[in-house]
C-alpha cells in the first residue's frame, strides 16, 4: 500500500475531483481517421487505439461479430474491438463509474460510420441492485468491487454507489438478437473477474467466445484467487496466452507453472477447438 493510500484510509482525504474530456483526432494506418474522447484525469489510460491492436483483434473477429467489454472505462478496448467488428457488429461496453462514463458515452457516439458501441452505465454483478465500489484516489480513475477484501489490503478509501446488473438476464431481455453473435468477452474488474465469468457460464459454454481476462494483482487478491480463475478457464477448455501488448495478444502460454511469475497481467483465452497460430 502506498503511503498516500494509508493516509486516505485514516480519513485524511480530499474531496472528490471531477475531470472532463477533450476529443482528439487520430489517423490509423489501415482504418483511417478516428476521433477519440480522452479523459483529462492525469492518471487516465490513453484511450487512443493503435492499428496494431485492431489488427490483432481481426485475427479473432470478423465484421458483424459482437463483443462485450466489462469494465470498459473510457473505451480504450471497446474502440479497437468496435473497429474490428465494424458497424454491422456491436460492442456492449459496461462501465458503472459515473465519473468516467460520460467519456465512454462520447466514444460510443463518435465514429458512427465505423463503429457501433453500446455504452451501458452499470457493472456486471450476480444480481441486480446498488453496490458500493472502492477507488484509490479522489478522481475515481481506478477501482472496483473488492469482495471479501479488507480496505487495508485493497487500499481504496473513496467509495461510489453504482448500479449492478445480472448480465445474462440483461442479454436475454434486451439484446437477445445479439447473443448468437457474441465472439469476444473482455473482463477487467479489479479481482471480481471470476465472479463475473461464473455468471456467464452458460453464455461461454454455448457461444465459445474468445476471452480477455485480467489476472489481478497478487498482493491484492485472496491467496487462491488466481488458481481458481485459471481452473475456471482451463476447465472450460481454453488455452491461455499472455497479452504482451497491442502487438501481440497471443504471447507465451500461461500454465500452472508460470501462473504466478508476474504480479499482474492479462490473458487472451482461445477455445481449445480453435486453430489460431500464436
Amino acid at each position: 500500500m502506498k503511503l498516500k493510500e494509508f493516509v486516505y484510509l485514516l480519513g485524511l482525504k480530499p474531496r472528490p475531483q471531477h475531470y472532463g474530456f477533450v476529443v482528439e483526432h487520430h489517423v490509423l494506418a489501415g482504418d483511417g481517421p478516428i476521433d477519440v474522447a480522452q479523459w483529462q484525469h492525469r492518471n487516465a489510460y490513453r484511450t487512443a487505439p493503435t492499428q496494431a491492436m485492431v489488427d490483432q483483434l481481426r485475427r479473432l473477429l470478423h465484421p458483424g461479430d459482437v463483443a462485450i467489454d466489462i469494465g470498459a472505462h473510457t473505451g480504450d478496448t471497446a474502440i479497437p474491438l468496435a473497429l474490428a467488428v465494424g458497424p454491422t457488429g456491436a460492442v456492449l461496453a459496461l462501465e458503472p463509474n459515473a465519473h468516467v462514463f460520460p467519456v465512454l458515452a462520447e466514444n460510443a457516439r463518435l465514429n458512427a460510420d465505423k463503429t457501433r458501441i453500446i455504452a451501458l452505465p452499470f457493472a456486471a454483478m450476480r444480481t441486480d441492485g446498488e453496490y458500493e465500489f472502492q477507488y484509490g484516489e479522489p478522481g475515481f480513475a481506478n477501482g472496483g468491487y473488492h469482495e471479501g477484501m479488507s480496505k487495508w489490503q485493497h487500499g481504496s478509501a473513496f467509495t461510489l454507489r453504482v448500479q449492478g446488473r445480472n448480465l445474462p438476464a440483461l442479454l436475454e431481455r434486451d439484446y437477445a438478437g445479439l447473443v448468437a453473435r457474441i465472439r469476444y468477452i473482455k473482463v477487467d474488474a479489479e479481482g471480481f473477474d471470476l465472479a463475473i465469468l461464473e455468471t456467464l457460464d452458460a453464455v461461454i459454454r454455448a457461444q465459445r467466445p474468445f476471452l480477455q481476462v485480467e489476472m489481478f494483482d497478487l498482493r491484492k487478491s485472496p491467496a487462491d484467487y488466481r488458481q481458481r480463475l485459471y481452473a475456471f478457464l482451463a476447465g472450460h477448455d481454453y488455452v491461455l496466452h499472455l497479452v504482451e501488448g497491442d502487438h501481440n495478444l497471443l504471447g507465451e502460454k500461461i500454465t500452472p507453472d508460470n501462473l504466478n511469475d508476474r504480479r499482474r497481467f492479462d490473458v487472451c483465452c482461445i477455445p481449445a477447438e480453435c486453430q489460431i497460430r500464436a
Side-chain angles (χ1 to χ4, degrees):
M1 184 188 303
K2 298 176 182 177
L3 176 60
K4 181 167 59 176
E5 292 173 338
F6 179 76
V7 172
Y8 290 162
L9 287 170
L10 292 176
L12 302 173
K13 56 185 181 182
R15 292 182 178 180
Q17 298 170 6
H18 179 76
Y19 297 87
F21 62 83
V22 296
V23 175
E24 301 175 345
H25 187 70
H26 299 265
V27 179
L28 303 187
D31 284 87
I34 298 291
D35 289 326
V36 176
Q38 178 65 44
W39 198 23
Q40 293 299 96
H41 191 298
R42 60 187 179 276
N43 296 328
Y45 316 129
R46 288 293 297 167
T47 305
T50 67
Q51 190 65 57
M53 176 56 79
V54 178
D55 292 344
Q56 282 287 303
L57 290 167
R58 285 192 175 124
R59 297 179 63 193
L60 310 177
L61 298 168
H62 300 92
D65 286 342
V66 172
I68 302 176
D69 185 356
I70 300 169
H73 207 249
T74 62
D76 53 299
T77 301
I79 295 171
L81 280 170
L83 289 169
V85 302
T88 60
V91 177
L92 301 177
L94 283 67
E95 178 50 59
N97 182 343
H99 291 264
V100 72
F101 183 79
V103 191
L104 175 64
E106 180 68 7
N107 278 319
R109 186 188 68 81
L110 296 168
N111 311 303
D113 59 326
K114 297 181 178 181
T115 65
R116 182 188 176 200
I117 299 173
I118 301 169
L120 302 172
F122 45 76
M125 303 297 289
R126 296 186 186 93
T127 59
D128 292 359
E130 186 177 70
Y131 294 84
E132 182 179 275
F133 276 34
Q134 298 89 31
Y135 294 81
E137 48 76 42
F140 296 87
N142 195 33
Y145 187 66
H146 299 105
E147 184 177 50
M149 191 185 306
S150 163
K151 67 180 182 179
W152 302 106
Q153 185 178 4
H154 62 66
S156 300
F158 298 84
T159 60
L160 193 65
R161 303 300 294 183
V162 309
Q163 292 299 310
R165 296 288 184 274
N166 176 272
L167 186 52
L170 178 97
L171 291 172
E172 182 179 350
R173 183 180 69 245
D174 296 341
Y175 300 101
L178 299 181
V179 172
R181 291 191 280 144
I182 294 173
R183 294 296 296 146
Y184 199 98
I185 299 175
K186 187 219 88 176
V187 186
D188 183 349
E190 299 294 304
F192 196 63
D193 308 67
L194 177 57
I196 293 171
L197 290 168
E198 288 172 341
T199 71
L200 292 167
D201 182 83
V203 174
I204 292 169
R205 292 183 184 278
Q207 303 308 131
R208 303 298 287 155
F210 302 104
L211 303 174
Q212 182 180 336
V213 182
E214 181 185 41
M215 291 287 176
F216 191 53
D217 194 328
L218 281 171
R219 300 180 307 178
K220 297 184 178 182
S221 304
D224 66 340
Y225 171 76
R226 190 170 286 186
Q227 285 71 29
R228 288 188 290 113
L229 178 54
Y230 179 89
F232 176 93
L233 297 167
H236 285 69
D237 291 326
Y238 279 91
V239 179
L240 282 63
H241 292 268
L242 175 68
V243 175
E244 294 183 342
D246 289 3
H247 67 287
N248 189 11
L249 290 177
L250 302 178
E252 171 188 3
K253 282 188 179 180
I254 299 299
T255 69
D257 292 334
N258 62 7
L259 183 62
N260 291 327
D261 287 357
R262 299 168 179 84
R263 198 179 88 192
R264 184 175 190 160
F265 60 98
D266 284 2
V267 289
C268 186
C269 309
I270 308 298
E273 67 272 16
C274 288
Q275 299 297 315
I276 305 249
R277 183 177 299 176

